[in-house]
Amino acid sequence: MSETELDEVETLSDLADLAREASFDDETVLVFIEQEDAWFGVVRVDGEDDPRIFVSDGAAAARSSYGAVLTDELFVQAGEDFDDLDDLVAELDEDEESTPADSEDSEDDSDADFGPGGVPVGPLGDSELLTEYGLTARALLQLAGESGEPGEALSEIAEALGCGEVLEAVR
């Protein structure tokens, strides 16, 4: 996909259609999006299935045009009443180990911080969209939560998936 083609994307359907056009024999297509080192997103398009979405910071993404396309879709998938954001906010399972620093002063994880427009701050969406390619939900969430640059996180994701050279070629 070229930047010119992406300029015409106004909805997730537009993005998914572009991804499908780029695929061979309905193979899975991964779309990496990075916005000025504020957030990154991964969209997975499997044939005609609904796209799966993950963004590193929902509130930051909602402030950009491409990000708003993704966060708006995540809210639609969660339902119109937004009563249960637990399915929307990507979190590690409660039974996973936490560090002593996390357990001493941590607040209840159900109290998510919200940015402008009521979009949760932090990872949002399907953190398991890359597990079959060897990148666990935990690893993806760690990359999203690290204080490093989103571009560096995307590079690490691409390297883990074996497509680092492809990502660097289109940057």
Side-chain angles (χ1 to χ4, degrees):
M1 285 182 247
S2 71
E3 194 166 324
T4 304
E5 291 172 316
L6 288 176
D7 287 342
E8 297 175 17
V9 169
E10 294 180 10
T11 66
L12 183 62
S13 292
D14 294 341
L15 181 61
D17 289 344
L18 265 177
R20 288 181 185 109
E21 289 173 16
S23 92
F24 299 101
D25 298 325
D26 288 332
E27 290 182 354
T28 297
V29 176
L30 298 175
V31 179
F32 293 163
I33 301 171
E34 174 190 355
Q35 181 69 42
E36 299 176 10
D37 287 330
W39 64 275
F40 72 85
V42 179
V43 178
R44 177 178 171 166
V45 179
D46 295 304
E48 293 300 318
D49 292 345
D50 288 339
R52 296 169 63 186
I53 305 165
F54 176 83
V55 294
S56 63
D57 185 335
R63 291 190 293 267
S64 74
S65 59
Y66 291 130
V69 166
L70 303 179
T71 58
D72 289 353
E73 180 63 25
L74 287 168
F75 275 110
V76 167
Q77 290 174 6
E80 292 181 18
D81 57 8
F82 310 122
D83 286 338
D84 186 8
L85 288 176
D86 290 340
D87 291 335
L88 185 60
V89 179
E91 296 182 36
L92 293 173
D93 292 332
E94 292 175 359
D95 60 352
E96 292 191 32
E97 294 179 14
S98 63
T99 63
D102 290 340
S103 60
E104 288 175 11
D105 296 316
S106 68
E107 295 178 13
D108 184 356
D109 285 340
S110 63
D111 295 331
D113 292 327
F114 295 90
V119 179
V121 173
L124 198 64
D126 184 353
S127 60
E128 296 181 353
L129 79 166
L130 300 174
T131 56
E132 77 179 65
Y133 299 105
L135 191 67
T136 66
R138 180 179 183 90
L140 183 58
L141 289 168
Q142 286 175 335
L143 287 168
E146 291 177 357
S147 59
E149 302 285 325
E152 291 173 20
L154 274 183
S155 292
E156 286 186 44
I157 292 167
E159 286 297 323
L161 300 177
C163 60
E165 291 178 12
V166 174
L167 177 63
E168 291 307 315
V170 297
R171 281 190 160 166

